[in-house]
Amino acid sequence: MNFLNKLGFGTGSSMDSSSSPIPQGPDDDTPSPGQQMAQFGAGCFWGVELAFQRVPGVTKTEVGYTQGYLHNPTYQDVCSGTNNHSEVVRVQYDPTECRFEALLDVFWARHDPTTLNRQGNDVGTQYRSGIYFYTPEQEKAALESKDRQEKLVNRKIVTEILPAKKFYRAEEYHQQYLAKGGRSGSKQSSDKGCNDPIRCYG
């Protein structure tokens, strides 16, 4: 992503009558029958989404914005850093084929959870590390996993673990961005089990 655009320079905010500061309630979207959902924030959502697309048992992924105070935020709104929204991937998965712990493994492997509000050159609260749970079981697994990861890396992990709040689906061009080819037009495989390196900016 263009770094200046991600900071909101030269784009402007689309604040209008449909965008007002309000506290966000829980995500009340429902998964398909027999499925579960989880949300993960791990920096720029393009590469994170592709990593989850490849996980066997994951049946749907969407990128979007959550945990903020603005109703119907746009990408430019989120990049302004003024509304606390985070870039996240919402994952739908079949728990009979994919354990939540497997998603946590992908999450930890995909980013550096010891850097606050930063992943590489992407800086801002929208890039913070977060696990947003839907069930008490997910919360327990996330907390235990965080403790194990902290001991493994021997550094403080800054990942926030909070209830999933209302999910605002990002603009269509962001969805499955790398699998569709990104800016380069070179598609990256989303096949289940694929281990090809993920080129973050396509």
Side-chain angles (χ1 to χ4, degrees), residues 108 129-133 138-139 142-143 146 159-163:
W108 297 123
S129 176
I131 303 169
Y132 308 112
F133 59 85
Q138 286 184 348
E139 179 185 22
L143 290 169
K146 179 181 177 182
T159 303
E160 59 184 17
I161 299 175
L162 298 168

Side-chain angles (χ1 to χ4, degrees), residues 46 49 53 173-184 200-202:
W46 291 343
E49 181 180 32
Q53 283 180 277
Y173 72 91
H174 287 301
Q175 306 298 327
Q176 292 85 51
Y177 184 80
L178 298 183
K180 291 187 293 191
R183 277 197 295 264
S184 71
C200 291
Y201 297 110

Side-chain angles (χ1 to χ4, degrees), residues 27-188:
D27 185 15
D28 55 5
D29 293 339
T30 56
S32 299
Q35 308 282 296
Q36 293 184 14
M37 291 195 300
Q39 293 180 22
F40 299 95
C44 174
F45 46 29
W46 291 343
V48 182
E49 181 180 32
L50 183 58
F52 283 119
Q53 283 180 277
R54 295 174 170 182
V55 177
V58 168
T59 57
K60 183 179 182 180
T61 62
E62 297 175 281
V63 298
Y65 318 118
T66 191
Q67 298 290 323
Y69 309 113
L70 192 63
H71 183 54
N72 289 330
T74 66
Y75 176 63
Q76 286 75 25
D77 290 328
V78 173
C79 288
S80 74
T82 60
N83 47 67
N84 204 50
H85 276 293
S86 178
E87 290 192 14
V88 299
V89 180
R90 185 169 69 178
V91 177
Q92 180 177 278
Y93 63 101
D94 182 344
T96 66
E97 297 182 22
C98 175
R99 299 175 67 242
F100 181 65
E101 287 78 3
L103 301 179
L104 291 171
D105 289 343
V106 172
F107 168 78
W108 297 123
R110 186 60 214 163
H111 77 303
D112 182 354
T114 68
T115 56
L116 183 64
N117 299 332
R118 178 172 192 156
Q119 290 298 313
N121 291 327
D122 290 333
V123 181
T125 56
Q126 70 268 35
Y127 303 116
R128 65 189 182 273
S129 176
I131 303 169
Y132 308 112
F133 59 85
Y134 287 77
T135 66
E137 292 77 17
Q138 286 184 348
E139 179 185 22
K140 181 175 183 292
L143 290 169
E144 291 174 351
S145 179
K146 179 181 177 182
D147 287 343
R148 288 194 299 270
Q149 193 70 15
E150 200 161 53
K151 292 174 183 175
L152 182 65
V153 300
N154 196 30
R155 293 176 64 192
K156 178 176 175 56
I157 285 179
V158 297
T159 303
E160 59 184 17
I161 299 175
L162 298 168
K165 289 186 178 179
K166 184 172 178 61
F167 175 86
Y168 293 98
R169 194 173 190 271
E171 294 83 347
E172 189 58 37
Y173 72 91
H174 287 301
Q175 306 298 327
Q176 292 85 51
Y177 184 80
L178 298 183
K180 291 187 293 191
R183 277 197 295 264
S184 71
S186 178
K187 296 180 180 180
Q188 298 186 50

